[in-house]
Amino acid sequence: MGLAKRIIPCLDVDAGRVVKGVKFVEIRDAGDPVEVARRYNEEGADEITFLDITASSDERETMVHVVEQVASEVFIPLTVGGGIRKVEDVRRMLMAGADKVAINTAAVFNPEFVREASDSFGSQCIVVAIDAKQVSGEGEPKKWEIFTHGGRKPTGIDAIEWARKMADYGAGEILLTSMDRDGTKIGFDNELTHAVAEAVPIPLIASGGVGNLQHLVDGITIGGADAVLAASIFHFAEYSIGEAKRYMAEHGIEVRL
Amino acid sequence: MGQRIAVLDYGMGNLRSVSKAIEHVAPDAEVRVTDDHGWIEAADRVVFPGQGAARDCMAAIGQHHLNQAIREAVQSKPFLGICMGLQVLVEFSEENEGTGLLGVIPGRVVRFAEDMPGDSGLPLKIPHMGWSRVEQVRAHPLWEGIEDGSRFYFVHSYYVVPEDDSLVAGVTEYGIRFASVLARDNLFAVQFHPEKSADDGLRLLKNFVGWNP
């Protein structure tokens, strides 16, 4: 068919610095987002996502400078998430050189924001990030709900319905994170992924739970995702992006090598 | 002082990425994101990027009074259209219940069909977003150093159908085979984003910067 499945490393950035540690040999400053982004680009990352976890609004401006610097040196798509609450935030990030912004909590509190952002800048640059958790018990039909605040606050909103609604509101892509799997390294929630992939006509990025390369393959072949996002397996140099892509290619997945 | 390269500014799209990528491959050039007619007229080459909806792009071109400057540049100097900067060159788009375009190339813009079968049993996603191969259906100086079938980064829901097939310089498959590159004389226009296509994209921009048709 011709379209490569994408591998997207995700970096948490706090006040302009990469956190959660990135262990690369031959990298001078593993906390420098520009250095890390450059390295991922060299390894063949298809996109890079930055998640701004800066708590204080005073330091939000720092992220704009990070994006400016990365966009001047790394020529692959950049997505920025975290703290995108107003149309003005979207504009600032796009002007700084981001290609897409990921809207999460603000979409839950104000779905119209997604429509407004998409109308203003085009759906191609609006990613809606969905944090979902399974709420059905054993033996019941599977059901997932949207959670905010890092998976702590339930909203009562059904995840599949929500994904469909966000696509209708103009999202160009969904970034789906299983809060049950995030950090577990036991693989994506492929049932959740597949349920969302079936429900929306727009591309879907699977996230949360990757611990090995087979998990990336499963997210695509079982989950039906168009792209896979991972953080720690790449940051700690357990696997390089190149290794991940070769593994996926060996398992019949079309990737950009 | 090196050559002057105008990146047309009409308020649509990620112009910073385009100008940064060109600065990267042409460090001696003066690259300016501009809607100044005098500067565009005096520039050695012109880059015409664009994103968003056809109607909005045409409206923005009108507001910035760039209609004539684009036509003149297309006739007279190396001209690179990117994404919407390819699409608005033809005559008519299906988008927004039909939008008239610049019409410097005979042809139209149509939307991908909704029900094209993809892999894993699900329909193909629209927009076409990600890295797809570009088949170099004819030789062109801008392909120099780029392997036939290399992947470039695409984000779009519409594609161009030119009347004259001989203008097609690149073809991409996404459900159907569509013209992803048109070339005519001093004009080269691509559906993908060279400024976001890693090394091959930068090579294409470098070829453009050194192209003297």
Side-chain angles (χ1 to χ4, degrees), chain A residues 12 17-23 53 182 231-232 235-236:
Chain A
D12 286 359
R17 302 284 294 170
V18 177
V19 294
K20 282 195 194 162
V22 175
K23 287 186 188 164
I53 58 165
D182 205 27
S232 58
H235 298 341
F236 299 111

Side-chain angles (χ1 to χ4, degrees), chain B residues 8-83:
Chain B
L8 300 190
D9 176 16
Y10 56 110
M12 299 295 287
N14 198 333
L15 303 175
R16 187 185 171 86
S17 296
V18 173
S19 65
K20 286 291 162 196
I22 293 167
E23 283 165 17
H24 189 82
V25 297
D28 294 331
E30 187 183 352
V31 181
R32 193 175 292 186
V33 176
T34 183
D35 65 352
D36 182 274
H37 290 194
W39 214 89
I40 295 166
E41 204 178 321
D44 297 291
R45 35 194 99 234
V46 165
V47 179
F48 181 38
Q51 267 178 9
R55 188 179 51 198
D56 297 348
C57 275
M58 288 306 294
I61 288 166
Q63 278 156 18
H64 288 255
H65 308 289
L66 282 173
N67 207 307
Q68 195 53 32
I70 292 169
R71 287 170 198 283
E72 281 169 16
V74 166
Q75 298 300 328
S76 60
K77 59 187 84 179
F79 186 99
L80 177 65
I82 298 175
C83 194

